[in-house]
Amino acid sequence: MRYGWRARIGHIAPAILDTSGEEMRKLLPAGVLHVGLTISEPIQTLGAEQAAAAFGRMVDAGKRLAAEKVDVLICGGAPVALSKGPAGDAELAELLRQATQLPVVTANGVVVDGLRTLGARTVIAVSPFIDARNQEIKNFLEASGFKVAATKGLGLTKNIDFASQSPDAAFALAYGAAKEHPEADAIYIACPRWPSVDIIAALEADTGKAVVAAPAAMVWGALKALRINDCQPGFGRLMDSLRSAN
């Protein structure tokens, strides 16, 4: 049986596609293929000129993936879109839709959809990022209607340092923030290159809060767009919501 007999999910990544691809593949049901392409952009140092260039490269990558006959596009690189402000995500999504005529799932937009699906109102956001990137996340979440109780990051700037973390780094940061902010009803774990999917269920169990982790949100959004109500079990409430839709 051929790979991707059920669906092919195209994934545009701004940096090296290593851990994020592995994280996503853990979640996919049988017959769904992850097809990744990177633009190799150093997202942590994006200025206005680099951001504009990254937008163009991501649209070009979308066209290349469309030529590979993917069925949906995941547009990663939340900081690329947020570098243009809260409206940057919608702008990039529209450019990709026009260029490819495919359904598009964006890194920021699908987090909002996931948080709303889980009934979140007050959110804690954790990431491996520096303060400036965390402030962009906060601004976007607040512009999307959420109260942000806190943002916390590891202060890392190199992509390889994100990928070199073990999942307990995300767990420890999120768990600590949850204890400090009992008023929050959800936790957002940003950055798909920072390993997180293996700790979603445990974090939900130990904190009592819904958890939306970036790679899980993107896979959830892509499967939902494809109307595939299936996924690997054991990765938290958001992924489980796919099966409950049957």
Side-chain angles (χ1 to χ4, degrees), residues 9 24 38 75 84 107 111 140 158-159 166 228 231 246:
I9 295 178
M24 290 182 179
T38 175
C75 183
K84 286 200 171 187
V111 166
F140 177 78
K158 294 182 178 179
N159 282 300
S166 62
I228 297 176
C231 63
N246 287 323

Side-chain angles (χ1 to χ4, degrees), residues 23 78 107-108 110-111 115 123-129 134 137 141 150-154 165-175 177-178 186-204 207 209-218 235 238:
E23 292 275 282
N108 298 304
V110 78
V111 166
L115 289 168
V123 181
I124 295 163
V126 299
S127 81
F129 300 147
N134 290 329
I137 292 169
L141 291 173
T151 62
K152 290 188 177 293
L154 295 183
Q165 302 301 308
S166 62
D168 63 293
F171 183 94
L173 193 62
Y175 183 82
I187 300 167
Y188 167 41
I189 304 176
C191 185
R193 204 169 174 199
W194 183 29
S196 62
V197 299
D198 289 326
I199 55 92
I200 295 172
L203 187 59
E204 288 183 332
T207 64
K209 303 180 190 301
V211 175
V212 174
M218 288 190 278
F235 291 100
L238 186 63

Side-chain angles (χ1 to χ4, degrees), residues 114-122 146 185-186:
L115 289 168
R116 288 175 178 162
T117 294
L118 297 176
R121 292 181 175 84
T122 302
F146 299 101
D185 48 32

